[in-house]
Amino acid sequence: MNRTLPLLLWLLALIGLAMLPQLLTVKYYLHLSILALIWVIVAQGQNLIQGFTGYVSIVQAGFMGIGAYASTLIGLNFQWPLWATMTLAPVVTALFALATGYPSLRVKGHYFAIVTLAFNLIIVIVLVNYSELTKGEAGISNIPKPWRGDRESFFYLALTLAALLTLLAALIARSRVGEILLAIRQNEDLVAAVGIAAWKYKLFAFVISAMYAGLGGALYAHFQGFINPEIFGVAQSLDAILAVILGGSGTIAGPVIGAFLVVFLPEILRFADSFRLILYGLILVLATIFMPIGIVGIAKTAFARITGRGARHGG
Amino acid sequence: MGLAPSRAILGGTVLGITESIAAGFISSAYKDVIAFVVMILVLLIRPQGLLGRAP
C-alpha cells in the first residue's frame, strides 16, 4: 500500500468533519459529533496502551474523571481561566497515572486489567464520598463553557484537538518508542533480553494514555457543563476499550472510527425502542467475536486482496 | 491443588474481615476502597496468592 492513499483519506475525513456543522441541520447530531470527537481523544489514548503495548487497562474513564474534576475544581476554587485549567487537567491526570501505573504495570495480563479496574472503582468511590470537594453523587453543574457555550465553536475546538492528538499518536507509533511498544506487545521477555527497560516504555504509554483521557475528560466537563461520578464509571472504560477493538486496535484510524461508532450506534438503534441497549450489546458481542481485528483491519485485508499486495502492519 | 478450597476460604475471610475492620475503624464509606487496596497489594507483593507457590 503506498503512502499517499491513506494520507488522502485522512485529508478527506478531516475536510468532511470540518464541514459537518454546516451539513447537520439537527442540533442534536452536532452535540453527538462533539461527544464522538471527545471520545476520539479518549480512544486514541486507550489505543496507545491497549492496541500498541498490549496491556488492556480498564481505568480510562476514571482518568477522564480525574481530568474533568481537576479542570472544574481548579477553575471554580481558584478562578483560573479556562485554557489554564484545561492544560493543567492532563498534567494532574499524568501525576495520578504515574502513581497508579508504577505498581499496576508490575503485573501482567488479566492481573493488570483487574488492578486498573480496581483503580477505576476506587476513583469513583472517592469522587462519590469526598463530597466536601466534589459535591458527591449530585455532581457539579454550571461549569463554565468556552465562548459562551456556542456549539459550533466548541465543535471546532474538539476537532482541532482530536486531529492534533491523533497526529501525535501516529508520530509516537512511528517513532522508536512506538516500535518498542509494539515489541513489548509481541514479546516482552525478548525486549527485556535485548537490554531495553520495558517498564519505562510501558509506564510512558500508560501515562500518555492517561493524559489523553484527562484532556478528554476536561473537554467533556466544559462541553456538558455538568459532571457527576457516575459518568466516569467502569461502563465508560469498557466503551473506550470497545471503541479500540471495534475500530481496530493497534491502528491509528481504528480509534477514530470506533469512537464515532460507540457514540452513534446507541442513537441509530433508537428505532428499536426498549430493545435498543440489548441490540447494542448484541452487535458489540458479535462484532468482537467475528471481527477481532476491527473495521480498519478488515478494510486493510480487503484492500490488500483487491490490489493483490500484502497488507502492511500497523500504521 | 488439594488445598484450593481452603485457600478460597482464607481469601474470603481475609477480605471480609479487613473490610469490616476498615468499616468500623476507618470509614464505612471507604470500606470498598480498603478492600481494593488489599487486593492490589496482594497482587503486587504475592501475585501467586497468599498461599500459592511461585511458578
Side-chain angles (χ1 to χ4, degrees):
Chain A
M1 200 192 295
N2 60 351
R3 274 203 161 178
T4 38
L5 184 72
L7 209 65
L8 204 68
L9 283 177
W10 277 112
L11 212 64
L12 274 176
L14 200 62
I15 293 170
L17 281 172
M19 278 161 52
L20 214 55
Q22 271 70 48
L23 296 174
L24 291 176
T25 42
V26 187
K27 284 276 176 220
Y28 185 57
Y29 290 135
L30 189 60
H31 175 94
L32 288 177
S33 307
I34 296 171
L35 277 184
L37 285 172
I38 294 171
W39 272 99
V40 168
I41 297 173
V42 178
Q44 282 297 2
Q46 177 73 20
N47 189 32
L48 279 175
I49 185 81
Q50 181 190 340
F52 287 112
T53 322
Y55 275 73
V56 179
S57 131
I58 319 186
V59 67
Q60 199 71 347
F63 284 146
M64 262 178 96
I66 289 177
Y69 273 91
S71 181
T72 310
L73 292 175
I74 294 170
L76 288 181
N77 292 331
F78 303 112
Q79 273 77 42
W80 281 29
L82 205 138
W83 60 268
T85 62
M86 269 176 54
T87 5
L88 206 63
V91 180
V92 175
T93 319
L95 291 178
F96 273 92
L98 266 179
T100 55
Y102 185 72
S104 33
L105 282 165
R106 289 176 42 140
V107 288
K108 286 177 190 165
H110 299 117
Y111 287 142
F112 175 77
I114 295 171
V115 170
T116 49
L117 174 76
F119 276 127
N120 199 339
L121 292 167
I122 291 176
I123 290 170
V124 172
I125 294 172
V126 171
L127 286 180
V128 168
N129 288 308
Y130 191 27
S131 42
E132 299 87 56
L133 190 65
T134 64
K135 295 188 189 154
E137 202 85 77
I140 304 171
S141 43
N142 294 326
I143 299 167
K145 294 182 177 196
W147 308 300
R148 314 172 305 281
D150 173 15
R151 274 221 183 89
E152 268 88 30
S153 43
F154 201 98
F155 178 87
Y156 286 112
L157 173 71
L159 180 62
T160 317
L161 284 173
L164 285 177
L165 288 169
T166 302
L167 184 68
L168 180 69
L171 289 178
I172 291 175
R174 297 221 164 161
S175 69
R176 185 176 160 272
V177 178
E179 310 243 296
I180 292 173
L181 293 181
L182 271 180
I184 289 174
R185 183 182 74 183
Q186 275 150 13
N187 193 337
E188 193 175 333
D189 293 331
L190 191 67
V191 172
V194 294
I196 295 168
W199 70 270
K200 277 185 198 163
Y201 291 91
K202 288 194 288 182
L203 194 60
F204 171 80
F206 189 70
V207 170
I208 296 288
S209 89
M211 288 177 80
Y212 272 70
L215 186 69
L219 266 176
Y220 181 89
H222 292 292
F223 168 56
Q224 292 283 39
F226 169 77
I227 48 172
N228 73 351
E230 198 196 332
I231 312 165
F232 306 112
V234 174
Q236 261 61 305
S237 287
L238 295 180
D239 266 357
I241 293 174
L242 280 170
V244 172
I245 295 177
L246 281 183
S249 63
T251 62
I252 292 298
V256 180
I257 297 168
F260 272 87
L261 270 181
V262 163
V263 173
F264 276 93
L265 207 52
E267 302 302 325
I268 294 168
L269 295 175
R270 269 196 194 280
F271 68 87
D273 260 349
S274 51
F275 293 104
R276 182 168 72 107
L277 290 177
I278 299 175
L279 211 58
Y280 177 60
L282 198 65
I283 289 175
L284 294 183
V285 170
L286 291 177
T288 322
I289 292 174
F290 291 109
M291 37 180 245
I293 48 171
I295 292 170
V296 173
I298 284 177
K300 263 185 189 165
T301 342
F303 185 83
R305 204 167 284 168
I306 291 166
T307 54
R309 272 173 282 180
R312 202 160 44 87
H313 189 77
Chain B
M1 277 296 111
L3 277 171
S6 62
R7 287 172 191 173
I9 293 171
L10 177 80
T13 317
V14 167
L15 208 58
I17 290 179
T18 343
E19 214 172 288
S20 307
I21 290 177
F25 286 99
I26 303 170
S27 152
S28 59
Y30 289 104
K31 73 175 175 25
D32 290 328
V33 173
I34 311 284
F36 287 130
V37 168
V38 168
M39 188 200 81
I40 290 167
L41 284 179
V42 168
L43 275 177
L44 292 179
I45 300 163
R46 284 190 69 83
Q48 70 272 33
L50 290 178
L51 290 183
R53 255 175 251 116

